[in-house]
Amino acid sequence: IIMSSNLDSIEIKEFLEQVNYALSLEFKEKWRHRFSSHFIAIFQERILKALKDEKPVKKSSLISLYTKKHKYNISEVLSFFEEIDINLYRPIVY
């Protein structure tokens, strides 16, 4: 990746800070009362997997993971995405 301007570096830094926060204990503590520790752990594990595999994850795949595999309610998943502003995690989550 070639940086075309200083702004790109700042955006990358902010993005990495956001990802670091999502993987932190602070993030888990903030949201676990509303969504459960297990719910948050699923999100954190999927973010780590995306980074490890160097492959982004689709929002629809996350929704399926939560609703089909873990039997969470779709409205709870969508509420979580809205609360954490899932768009902040682009391009890892798209």
Side-chain angles (χ1 to χ4, degrees):
I1 299 173
I2 298 173
M3 303 291 167
S4 61
S5 72
N6 196 29
L7 183 60
D8 291 336
S9 301
I10 292 167
E11 288 172 353
I12 290 169
K13 182 177 183 277
E14 288 172 353
F15 170 73
L16 292 173
E17 286 172 355
Q18 189 66 39
V19 169
N20 192 41
Y21 172 66
L23 298 173
S24 72
L25 184 60
E26 181 185 355
F27 181 87
K28 192 171 205 169
E29 287 297 312
K30 178 178 180 177
W31 296 110
R32 73 181 177 88
H33 300 293
R34 175 114 194 266
F35 295 100
S36 87
S37 291
H38 180 252
F39 191 100
I40 302 307
I42 293 167
F43 179 71
Q44 290 177 325
E45 288 165 11
R46 195 47 53 137
I47 294 291
L48 281 172
K49 184 177 180 348
L51 291 168
K52 181 178 168 257
D53 297 347
E54 297 179 21
K55 186 177 177 196
V57 62
K58 292 184 203 171
K59 272 196 261 190
S60 60
S61 296
L62 270 176
I63 291 169
S64 292
L65 175 69
Y66 276 111
T67 59
K68 291 183 171 69
K69 183 174 180 187
H70 296 285
K71 308 295 184 213
Y72 284 102
N73 186 304
I74 183 77
S75 62
E76 185 177 14
V77 176
L78 295 176
S79 175
F80 175 68
F81 286 178
E82 190 176 309
E83 293 279 338
I84 67 164
D85 193 356
I86 196 75
N87 295 322
L88 294 173
Y89 299 93
R90 285 184 75 104
I92 286 183
V93 178
Y94 69 100

